[in-house]
Amino acid sequence: QVQLQQWGAGLLKPSETLSLSCAVYGGSFSGYYWSWIRQPPGEGLEWIGEITESGVTNYNPSHKSRLTISVDASKSQFSLKLSSVTAADTAVYYCARGYYDRSGYYYMDVWGNGTTVIVSS
Amino acid sequence: DIQLTQSPSFLSASVGDRVTITCRASQVISSYLAWYQQKPGKAPELLIYGATTLISGVPSRFSGSRSGTEFTLTISSLQPEDFATYYCQHLNSYPRTFGQGTRVEIK
């Protein structure tokens, strides 16, 4: 049973850098796309970006200038850094596993439990 | 960016009801669409991908269909555990945007 365990600082001040990590347990790290998604309080889901084992990244253009997603395949871990945060970055942040099936269809089938990040002065 | 518009945003239904949620894409996305269920305080769970393929373990009362750029999630007979918020997501290109969600509540 694959599990994603995520962690990181939950309270930030404006202009600081958000930093979260996600570790993969119980399954392979290769062959998947490792994603970050966030959900502001009372709102819907927003896809932030993803990374492969080899370090290929795809980012949401809305955040690209502030965003870095990195990977440490030797530890089966990947990380999210979002710089210059504001109150608008307050959200629950999820990590998730993405996969392309044989037909080429992609889906995110395993999710972390979420980390609440609050940005407040 | 491809926009996904879900309707309705909210629906109130009774146990046993047939429920239909629609997700309309702003561009052709073939069948690159997934549906997720999210309960309060929990991470989303994948229900359907490829517009129509049910994930193993998901009850057969859930089904998905596609007609052009309009996608539908149907719950044939609503059960108490189905009261949740449902999201569609396109996976055809970047960014992989979500619909705004449909909250299903007990009537």
Side-chain angles (χ1 to χ4, degrees):
Chain A
Q1 182 87 359
V2 178
Q3 292 186 338
L4 304 185
Q5 182 175 333
Q6 52 183 112
W7 68 94
L11 182 60
L12 297 172
K13 296 185 187 308
S15 80
E16 292 184 335
T17 295
L18 181 158
S19 183
L20 300 175
S21 294
C22 183
V24 181
Y25 296 102
S28 174
F29 193 72
S30 64
Y32 297 96
Y33 288 70
W34 302 101
S35 304
W36 291 98
I37 302 97
R38 73 179 186 181
Q39 185 170 36
E43 297 185 23
L45 300 166
E46 180 185 28
W47 182 83
I48 298 171
E50 66 185 19
I51 192 165
T52 65
E53 175 196 17
S54 60
V56 175
T57 54
N58 292 292
Y59 293 161
N60 188 325
S62 298
H63 310 295
K64 193 170 184 177
S65 62
R66 301 189 291 136
L67 181 61
T68 302
I69 298 177
S70 59
V71 66
D72 186 342
S74 67
K75 296 182 179 179
S76 295
Q77 292 179 9
F78 60 108
S79 299
L80 167 72
K81 290 188 187 300
L82 186 66
S83 63
S84 305
V85 297
T86 70
D89 295 310
T90 293
V92 176
Y93 286 75
Y94 295 100
C95 58
R97 183 180 80 170
Y99 178 68
Y100 282 96
D101 79 346
R102 297 175 188 176
S103 302
Y105 291 120
Y106 180 90
Y107 52 82
M108 298 193 296
D109 63 339
V110 182
W111 292 62
N113 290 331
T115 299
T116 298
V117 175
I118 298 172
V119 180
S120 174
S121 55
Chain B
D1 295 0
I2 294 173
Q3 308 299 320
L4 296 178
T5 303
Q6 282 185 239
S7 60
S9 296
F10 170 85
L11 72 87
S12 181
S14 301
V15 172
D17 284 353
R18 181 181 181 88
V19 167
T20 298
I21 299 168
T22 298
C23 177
R24 184 171 286 107
S26 60
Q27 302 175 32
V28 172
I29 58 170
S30 185
S31 293
Y32 294 97
L33 188 110
W35 289 98
Y36 301 86
Q37 176 194 69
Q38 187 181 33
K39 297 182 178 178
K42 300 293 186 182
E45 293 187 1
L46 177 67
L47 298 175
I48 288 169
Y49 74 95
T52 60
T53 301
L54 201 66
I55 286 294
S56 175
V58 173
S60 58
R61 61 181 180 272
F62 290 91
S63 64
S65 64
R66 171 202 168 197
S67 177
T69 58
E70 186 170 292
F71 299 82
T72 300
L73 173 68
T74 299
I75 309 172
S76 60
S77 177
L78 199 64
Q79 297 302 300
E81 60 268 30
D82 301 336
F83 291 95
T85 300
Y86 294 84
Y87 294 92
C88 58
Q89 183 195 23
H90 91 80
L91 303 148
N92 186 58
S93 61
Y94 296 104
R96 303 189 194 274
T97 52
F98 291 87
Q100 80 275 19
T102 296
R103 193 171 80 188
V104 177
E105 291 200 346
I106 302 173
K107 182 182 285 185

